[in-house]
Amino acid sequence: MAKRIKNPYRAWRRYRGREQSCTTLQKVFDYATNRFTERVAYQYVDGGQQYTYGQFRRKVEQLSMRMTRFGIKHGDRVAIFSQNMPNWVVAFFSATVYGRVAVPILPDSSENELTNILNHSESKVLFISQRLMPKLSEECRKKLTLIVDIESFEFLKKDKDEFKCNGWVKDPNPDDLATIIYTSGTTGKAKGVMLSHRNICHNLAASFKAQPAFEKDRFLSILPAAHAYEMNVSTIYSFYAGATCYTLQKPPTPTILLSAMKKVRPTIVCSVPLIIEKVVKNSVWPTIYKSRILSWAERHIPHILHRFIGHRMVQTFGGKLKFFGVGGAKLDPAVEAFLKDCHFPYAVGYGLTETAPLVCNLMVGKRKKAGTIGCASYGVEIRLDNVNPANGEGEIVCRGNNVMLGYYKDPERTVQVLDDEGWFHTSDVATVDADGYYSIKGRLNNTILGPSGENIYPEEIEQVINNIEGVEESLVMERDGKLVALVKFQDNALNWDQATEDKWFEELEARKNAIMEWVNKTVGKNSKIREVDAMKEPFEKTATQKIRRFKYKDSHGDEPEKPKDK
């Protein structure tokens, strides 16, 4: 049983040697399972699939031995296609601890995406959940040596010809490949990001430097474990810290999430901006505006009101929250300024799958500058390349032990982003102030060139649109030389069942004109929009809730054409 930690500073000293010794996932595995044997490592929020660190070790060893009997050796690819669950982590460690390579696949991947990833990675083993089984094609089924039901670890397919007991394994080295994470990001064709053991272990150390976690901490996992952010900053970091990680059995809807918060009373949660933005915009702010007393307090004693609201929000999230991480996309500056004034324990992180993922962080309790992504994370060098002297904007490039090995089987795209000196080119445009705080402006691939050669960042215009009442989200693009905004209104803003009625079209046109008028009054002259189109269905998004922009390049919205008068 691990000793109780009373003094955080003494605990920090006790953990100081861990960074030097835990240089591979095999060493992280040995460290955690030997030190925290009797503590609970993973379990469902409502119970089930519970593992102490000791039980977790025995299950991983058992599963690895079974794969060894079918010739699954070091270097072989082991794919994991499942929703979050404690067994997901068992499957991951049963591969990486013994020199095999884990291939996590996002659970919302289509049948075609699953097939492409399995074929491209040449995976020999697939851990899959029952609910995702229909996406597994017969073609892939025939090629796999083992198919394992991840919920019971029953072997659904065993290639008896491979039963040779020659799956030799070995302790991995820091620079050995640990995992291939496939990501299409927001720009299309999937890339297999190769992360080494050193990449992941460096990120664990950087996470501890940013937000120390210990045995008594409780993590709540709400994002897909197959994404680098959730995997390395939450799911595996909790293991590194000796903490307990709780997993939801259902999608994190507001009702499910709030219920889980009350049961678990988490201390650490990793999230995306959309979740906390919805809480503030759809619940907190409307409550203030609809109350005469709260509206008066907002005008006359806002700081007192905001401190009270911040306390109530923490209580809503279980009452023990000390770290609410926001990453994967840019947090709305207005929401962030509100959270800062409320003293809500939020933190902002910036990174990419290619950097395992941490590059920058703005942490709880530190001097915050709303709208920035903070300073360089531990052990990461950052600079801006090709800086525009007029506005100080340049591309973020970074270097460190967090930077990937490259893209799997894709040397051409690898050399486009990794130079000879090890600098990774992120394609994110930012500025940096005198204190080393970076502010993202947009992505190079999304930048629109204005009529006078100026850069227009659609993300900045979208932030203005998204803060308009009744708007859920938006996407700004160039069409025929003019800026067009695709807007998804909130469900209660437009009744699409009445889309054939004249009154509906009048209301829609009024809303579109109001958006255009407000935006063009707010933004600079080069960022004015010329058209607004309404979207009926939500935008298709990545795992971290970023809109897949390439899907809407030629989109003209979903609104029907107004019927002509007879």
Side-chain angles (χ1 to χ4, degrees):
M1 176 77 73
K3 293 181 180 179
R4 184 177 180 183
I5 296 174
K6 297 181 179 180
N7 187 317
Y9 177 72
R10 290 177 60 188
W12 188 288
R13 295 181 60 188
R14 283 174 52 192
Y15 283 78
R16 199 166 48 181
R18 180 179 54 183
E19 179 186 339
Q20 283 72 38
S21 61
C22 291
T23 55
T24 67
L25 287 171
Q26 183 261 331
K27 292 180 178 179
V28 170
F29 177 75
D30 284 344
Y31 169 85
T33 55
N34 288 322
R35 184 176 182 87
F36 311 113
T37 308
E38 301 300 323
R39 298 195 65 85
V40 174
Y42 298 98
Q43 74 167 68
Y44 277 129
V45 169
D46 297 319
Q49 282 193 19
Q50 183 187 88
Y51 294 99
T52 65
Y53 280 82
Q55 291 169 336
F56 185 88
R57 182 185 186 94
R58 290 189 289 275
K59 180 60 73 172
V60 167
E61 290 173 340
Q62 179 190 55
L63 196 54
S64 175
M65 181 60 70
R66 294 181 69 190
M67 287 193 285
T68 296
R69 290 172 182 154
F70 284 89
I72 309 302
K73 59 185 182 302
H74 62 266
D76 284 344
R77 279 54 168 151
V78 178
I80 309 171
F81 187 47
S82 164
Q83 66 274 21
N84 285 16
M85 62 176 68
N87 281 357
W88 190 102
V89 199
V90 173
F92 181 86
F93 274 99
S94 71
T96 55
V97 167
Y98 303 97
R100 303 180 182 103
V101 179
V103 183
I105 305 173
L106 291 166
D108 62 353
S109 298
S110 66
E111 177 181 336
N112 186 55
E113 288 171 324
L114 172 64
T115 300
N116 289 340
I117 291 173
L118 291 176
N119 288 337
H120 188 263
S121 65
E122 299 173 287
S123 292
K124 291 186 176 181
V125 181
L126 174 63
F127 287 89
I128 186 170
S129 61
Q130 287 291 341
R131 74 171 67 169
L132 298 177
M133 194 70 72
K135 295 183 179 182
L136 180 62
S137 68
E138 190 60 32
E139 170 203 349
C140 290
R141 183 182 291 270
K142 290 178 180 178
K143 291 180 180 179
L144 291 162
T145 300
L146 295 174
I147 300 176
V148 187
D149 182 343
I150 197 169
E151 291 162 67
S152 64
F153 290 132
E154 176 188 356
F155 282 21
L156 303 177
K157 183 207 170 182
K158 298 181 285 189
D159 190 338
K160 295 181 180 179
D161 292 338
E162 297 294 334
F163 191 80
K164 302 172 183 177
C165 297
N166 64 349
W168 310 121
V169 295
K170 66 176 184 179
D171 292 345
N173 294 315
D175 290 319
D176 285 348
L177 180 61
T179 183
I180 304 174
I181 301 179
Y182 283 83
T183 171
S184 60
T186 55
T187 56
K189 186 180 175 184
K191 297 169 286 190
V193 177
M194 297 189 292
L195 296 181
S196 68
H197 287 262
R198 189 188 302 278
N199 293 152
I200 296 174
C201 291
H202 172 85
N203 187 89
L204 298 177
S207 298
F208 182 77
K209 297 283 186 179
Q211 177 58 53
F214 304 103
E215 296 98 310
K216 295 187 76 66
D217 278 306
R218 296 179 299 280
F219 286 68
L220 181 61
S221 175
I222 61 177
L223 302 175
H227 194 279
Y229 171 38
E230 171 63 33
M231 183 172 78
N232 294 338
V233 184
S234 178
T235 302
I236 299 178
Y237 178 43
S238 70
F239 190 82
Y240 181 79
T244 301
C245 185
Y246 293 85
T247 305
L248 296 171
Q249 288 180 270
K250 298 178 180 179
T253 61
T255 302
I256 296 293
L257 192 55
L258 289 177
S259 175
M261 293 279 191
K262 291 178 181 178
K263 289 179 181 178
V264 175
R265 305 184 76 193
T267 58
I268 296 177
V269 176
C270 287
S271 178
V272 291
L274 187 62
I275 293 177
I276 194 65
E277 286 172 0
K278 281 191 172 182
V279 170
V280 173
K281 292 181 178 180
N282 298 349
S283 180
V284 178
W285 285 349
T287 300
I288 294 174
Y289 301 145
K290 291 176 183 177
S291 168
R292 291 178 61 186
I293 296 175
L294 295 180
S295 296
W296 179 90
E298 177 69 22
R299 293 192 302 272
H300 297 90
I301 49 172
H303 294 304
I304 295 176
L305 175 64
H306 292 173
R307 285 298 294 268
F308 171 74
I309 290 173
H311 175 75
R312 288 295 301 270
M313 287 175 65
V314 169
Q315 294 304 310
T316 301
F317 290 155
K320 297 294 182 179
L321 193 65
K322 67 179 184 181
F323 174 91
F324 190 92
V326 180
K330 188 174 181 180
L331 178 61
D332 186 310
V335 172
E336 184 178 359
F338 181 77
L339 295 175
K340 180 175 181 287
D341 206 35
C342 289
H343 292 255
F344 184 75
Y346 80 98
V348 174
Y350 162 74
L352 307 93
T353 305
E354 290 89 339
T355 56
L358 285 179
V359 175
C360 288
N361 45 249
L362 186 68
M363 303 316 297
V364 176
K366 304 295 183 182
R367 183 164 59 92
K368 289 187 172 71
K369 292 190 176 183
T372 77
I373 54 173
C375 303
S377 294
Y378 169 70
V380 180
E381 297 179 73
I382 306 179
R383 71 165 194 248
L384 295 181
D385 256 14
N386 301 316
V387 178
N388 183 336
N391 53 27
E393 296 173 358
E395 181 190 8
I396 296 179
V397 298
C398 64
R399 182 170 64 179
N401 288 333
N402 60 322
V403 175
M404 67 170 181
L405 299 174
Y407 295 123
Y408 186 54
K409 294 181 181 178
D410 201 342
E412 291 185 5
R413 281 205 281 191
T414 298
V415 298
Q416 289 174 6
V417 297
L418 274 176
D419 64 26
D420 294 339
E421 296 180 347
W423 290 96
F424 173 71
H425 294 251
T426 67
S427 292
D428 285 316
V429 179
T431 57
V432 60
D433 65 18
D435 297 320
Y437 285 73
Y438 288 81
S439 299
I440 296 284
K441 308 300 290 185
R443 285 190 63 79
L444 284 174
N445 295 337
N446 300 338
T447 303
I448 299 170
L449 195 63
S452 303
E454 70 283 354
N455 287 337
I456 300 171
Y457 300 109
E459 295 91 343
E460 295 184 339
I461 307 173
E462 290 157 11
Q463 284 182 359
V464 175
I465 299 173
N466 294 345
N467 281 325
I468 296 174
E469 185 178 359
V471 172
E472 185 171 310
E473 53 191 351
S474 62
L475 184 65
V476 173
M477 64 184 62
E478 184 182 28
R479 186 194 299 158
D480 300 328
K482 59 185 180 182
L483 293 180
V484 177
L486 303 182
V487 176
K488 169 68 173 70
F489 290 97
Q490 293 174 357
D491 292 339
N492 60 353
L494 279 177
N495 184 356
W496 284 83
D497 292 335
Q498 300 176 355
T500 58
E501 300 179 11
D502 287 343
K503 185 178 179 181
W504 184 87
F505 279 99
E506 291 173 6
E507 181 183 354
L508 176 62
E509 287 303 314
R511 286 186 176 275
K512 289 163 59 174
N513 290 334
I515 289 173
M516 197 178 308
E517 182 181 348
W518 173 254
V519 171
N520 292 345
K521 185 171 64 175
T522 305
V523 302
K525 65 176 183 178
N526 296 318
S527 298
K528 295 182 185 295
I529 57 175
R530 297 291 179 259
E531 187 178 329
V532 176
D533 288 339
M535 301 293 292
K536 181 179 180 181
E537 301 296 330
F539 292 103
E540 186 176 332
K541 301 185 184 69
T542 66
T544 51
Q545 300 302 301
K546 287 184 285 191
I547 297 173
R548 296 183 187 272
R549 290 179 178 271
F550 69 96
K551 294 274 188 178
Y552 301 93
K553 188 175 182 181
D554 300 313
S555 176
H556 286 257
D558 297 331
E559 59 191 86
E561 184 178 351
K562 184 175 181 179
K564 297 178 180 179
D565 295 332
K566 294 182 181 180

